[in-house]
Amino acid sequence: MSPSHPPVKTSDLLVKALEEEGVRHVFGVPGEENLDFLESLRTSSIALVLTRHEQAAAFMAATYGRLTGRAGVCLATLGPGATNLVTGAAYARLGAMPMVMITGQKPITRSKQGRFQMVDVVSMMRPLTKFTRQIVHGNTVPALVREAFRLAEEERPGPVHLELPEDIASEMIEDWHLIPRREPCLNCASESSVTRAAEMIQEAVSPLLLIGAGTNRKQVIEPLKAFVEKTGIPFFNTQMGKGVIGGAHPLYLGTAALSDNDYLHCAIDRADLVINAGHDVVEKPPFFMRHGGKRVIHVNYSPAEVDTVYFPQHDVVGDIGHTFRRLIEQLVVSEHHDFSYFMKIRQEVLKHITMDVDSPRYPLLPQRVVADVRKVLPADGIVALDNGIYKLWFARNYRTNKDNTILLDNALATMGAGLPSAMAAAMLNPTRRVMAVCGDGGFMMNSQEMETAVRLGLNLVVLVLRDNAYGMIRWKQAMLGFADWGLEYGNPDFVLYGRAYGAGGHRVESAEGFLPLMERCFQEGGVHLIEVPVDYSENQRVLIDELAARVCLL
């Protein structure tokens, strides 16, 4: 018979279960319905990271999960606190980031305030999570927590939700036992599916490897590199697959930042087979499939979700790393593979991404911004992007050297996530250079978290690219021939804004002064905000140039 434990309060038991899962931080904004839980946290080994908005707490927790593979935890109260987690839940669900959300609720055995602030949070979270439950009795806590973390961290990772009513949190539990943590297990693909994939690769004349977000797992990176080295097959990546294999690799063709009509798509169109590793249709398509066109092998943890532009001819379903190890065993170097055209495209891409990197123009061109950020960040430096037109430039032009050194969201692609994401990265990596790159629109959606960053004592440089407009939509407005209308706004003095929070506040006054200013901020340490006036007027011209180049190359 297992030993009995002394009675414990439900909120204490919940915290003990979180400790059993290895939780070290809880990000959030508590409310009165969370006070028992808050008191339980106070005497635990878990640190509370108090944020200024629940959305930022969710972004931080999701990024924690993305970087560690262990579910990040965030906390909110009922009603408006819980609804403020919704965008973060969608961010984690579409981006495959493991996260556990805990929300409070009014008592369920008695009513103190009628239906004040009450919404059905469990039902609200159901379409956005892998699992959502209300805790109705304290003795269910260990099982619910273990199940929540299991589902959050299993492939495909994502968010889960637990609701703890106020009266349940304070009740005493007589008989309880924790459930030990177990690491997620991965199924392996069938032998026949791997063999068929190997045959298709051997039969192809010009195969290409696509690296998607699902390959960004520690157990996948080395087998994937070994596959490339053995076969010599060139590769490209989706935006969220950047960095799995570094951009300096001689077989790297580039990033599919657009869905079509980029230099890279010349190579994709010439391929007769694409080995699609770890990508799914949640991320913006890196290319469009067409009936009668190239064949596609889908290599992922789950079967392909068929779409009008994605209908692979073969699935290899299981642990991606194990699949590539088995492919390496079965494949031999093929003498009839022809990659000469791909190498020609690679040279064109390299030539293109060096255009205007030293431009003295002011406001700065995005090409200069990307190039100088790359120069100031070492190989292990981390750049976290918000969402805007600059994200395309970073996706296409920024060369990564290590995995998880560029954090961008090409799934929900929400504005406002860049700063909290960078803060989580800086917390986890206090000795590495970490930078947030935000547009002025996205930055202002969660700019209050500058206070959180300063209070936490983070080392973080925040670039705010100022064009006084919602630039991505304005650019697409122009591309569609609409009048330039309705998308401009005013901004605060960002230098004073940063300083008001106790951070450094700076403004770039010339293109030549940008790089030394960033270097000075990193050397000084602490939190710094740098306002960077930026000029996006060249975006349309560059796209037209690419279309012309595409015609010439083909």
Side-chain angles (χ1 to χ4, degrees), residues 343-509:
M343 293 301 101
K344 178 180 178 182
I345 295 299
R346 183 176 187 273
Q347 293 306 312
E348 293 294 331
V349 171
L350 288 172
K351 187 189 309 179
H352 182 70
I353 66 173
T354 59
M355 289 174 54
D356 295 319
V357 296
D358 295 317
S359 172
R361 284 178 52 173
Y362 183 86
L364 278 68
L365 294 181
Q367 298 96 310
R368 177 71 185 254
V369 172
V370 174
D372 283 2
V373 168
R374 176 67 281 179
K375 291 174 185 174
V376 81
L377 289 178
D380 67 349
I382 299 172
V383 57
L385 302 179
D386 207 277
N387 277 279
I389 189 67
Y390 52 87
K391 187 179 78 171
L392 296 180
W393 288 103
F394 272 89
R396 297 165 75 249
N397 291 21
Y398 189 84
R399 282 301 204 245
T400 52
N401 298 298
K402 295 187 66 175
D403 58 293
N404 279 322
T405 53
I406 184 166
L407 305 179
L408 59 78
D409 169 25
N410 192 37
L412 184 66
T414 178
M415 298 171 72
L419 175 58
S421 181
M423 288 164 58
M427 281 185 60
L428 287 167
N429 302 279
T431 63
R432 293 162 66 176
R433 289 190 172 185
V434 179
M435 172 180 287
V437 179
C438 309
D440 44 10
F443 174 73
M444 290 303 293
M445 291 186 180
N446 270 311
S447 63
Q448 72 281 347
E449 301 305 330
M450 288 290 292
E451 186 278 327
T452 308
V454 171
R455 173 166 33 89
L456 294 175
L458 301 180
N459 292 313
L460 178 64
V461 174
V462 182
L463 300 188
V464 178
L465 308 184
R466 179 177 60 78
D467 67 331
N468 302 316
Y470 290 117
M472 172 72 86
I473 311 306
R474 193 181 187 192
W475 171 59
K476 292 191 174 183
Q477 187 181 55
M479 291 294 292
L480 292 171
F482 293 117
D484 183 8
W485 184 83
L487 295 168
E488 293 181 273
Y489 46 68
N491 271 311
D493 183 324
F494 286 114
V495 174
L496 296 179
Y497 193 82
R499 292 174 182 172
Y501 285 114
H506 318 270
R507 180 177 296 110
V508 176
E509 302 292 350

Side-chain angles (χ1 to χ4, degrees), residues 27-50:
F27 306 89
V29 182
E32 63 179 284
E33 289 75 23
N34 305 121
L35 289 178
D36 281 289
F37 181 74
L38 195 65
E39 176 62 16
S40 299
L41 275 182
R42 185 182 66 83
T43 56
S44 76
S45 63
I46 300 173
L48 173 68
V49 180
L50 186 69

Side-chain angles (χ1 to χ4, degrees), residues 284-303:
K284 190 174 182 180
F287 66 91
F288 298 135
M289 287 188 68
R290 295 176 176 86
H291 289 283
K294 69 180 65 58
R295 296 194 294 177
V296 172
I297 300 173
H298 176 87
V299 182
N300 215 323
Y301 302 101
S302 57

